[in-house]
Amino acid sequence: MQLVIAAVGHKMPAWIESGFGEYAKRMPADCRVHLKEIKPVERSGSKTAETAMALERAKIEAALPKGARIIALDEHGKDLTSVQLAQLLTQWQQDGRDVAFIIGGADGLDAEFKKNADMLIRISSMTLPHGMVRVLLAEQLYRAWSITQNHPYHRV
Ligand SMILES: C[S@@+](CC[C@H](N)C(=O)[O-])C[C@H]1O[C@@H](n2cnc3c(N)ncnc32)[C@H](O)[C@@H]1O
């Protein structure tokens, strides 16, 4: 199983890159997190946010492994505890299908894309900057993996 984070946004500030890298590098080889940055579609006069998100959706889909389970990150998504995420991680490892976490850009994710996703999850009920979401998600994936291993990183 491969874990992919497809995130609309590039040229992130150094503190986002280093925060993400800190957690991504802790993941073991059989549960590596692969980041795929999607260059945002330029917003210009005649292009609505909906059009831009639809174009970004096509770029996201092209970057994903075939047949991957799609987990969209959205502030209106389901709340998961870290233990629930760890349980999902175990199930996903057992079925072997790749898992793709999708983070939208400034306007969010295309509505149809979210409707078709296998799951919509949130990290908080507040709106977060997209760069920060990838760091928090990487930390939660590392925490989830730690829970599956009884690693002391996670303390109840
Ligand atoms: C700046 S937000 C976009 C906000 C936009 N108004 C919307 O409705 O999604 C950019 C991306 O960050 C992610 N995001 C922001 N807050 C989040 C949260 N609390 N939980 C999960 N993902 C979040 C989502 O993937 C979102 O598409």
Side-chain angles (χ1 to χ4, degrees):
M1 178 199 59
Q2 243 196 112
L3 295 177
V4 172
I5 298 180
V8 178
H10 74 152
K11 294 193 182 147
M12 287 287 128
W15 61 274
I16 294 283
E17 288 193 2
S18 94
F20 178 84
E22 177 57 39
Y23 296 107
K25 77 175 182 209
R26 297 187 194 190
M27 296 298 274
D30 61 351
C31 207
R32 224 24 112 219
V33 173
H34 303 271
L35 176 67
K36 293 190 184 241
E37 289 192 324
I38 313 290
K39 196 173 170 205
V41 169
E42 262 183 48
R43 271 65 174 162
S44 58
S46 59
K47 206 181 282 150
T48 62
E50 281 69 28
T51 309
M53 285 188 287
L55 292 168
E56 283 166 356
R57 171 195 180 166
K59 291 169 80 170
I60 292 166
E61 286 172 342
L64 299 182
K66 224 169 164 228
R69 188 185 303 278
I70 307 291
I71 314 292
L73 275 287
D74 186 86
E75 67 203 73
H76 304 294
K78 183 178 164 64
D79 275 318
L80 290 177
T81 64
S82 298
V83 169
Q84 286 170 330
L85 182 61
Q87 288 162 347
L88 284 173
L89 187 63
T90 303
Q91 284 173 27
W92 295 335
Q93 279 172 318
Q94 283 162 359
D95 90 4
R97 204 170 142 200
D98 293 332
V99 182
F101 296 90
I102 321 297
I103 302 170
D107 293 303
L109 289 167
D110 175 69
E112 196 64 18
F113 181 82
K114 287 194 279 189
K115 216 169 98 189
N116 293 334
D118 292 290
M119 194 186 277
L120 220 57
I121 64 169
R122 71 174 169 200
I123 287 188
S124 156
S125 50
M126 294 180 177
T127 306
L128 302 169
H130 54 91
M132 215 177 263
V133 173
R134 71 172 73 169
V135 179
L136 293 169
L137 177 62
E139 192 277 338
Q140 283 302 310
L141 288 171
Y142 174 64
R143 183 176 295 278
W145 174 81
S146 305
I147 292 168
T148 67
Q149 304 299 307
N150 291 318
H151 185 285
Y153 177 75
H154 179 75
R155 299 179 201 185
V156 182

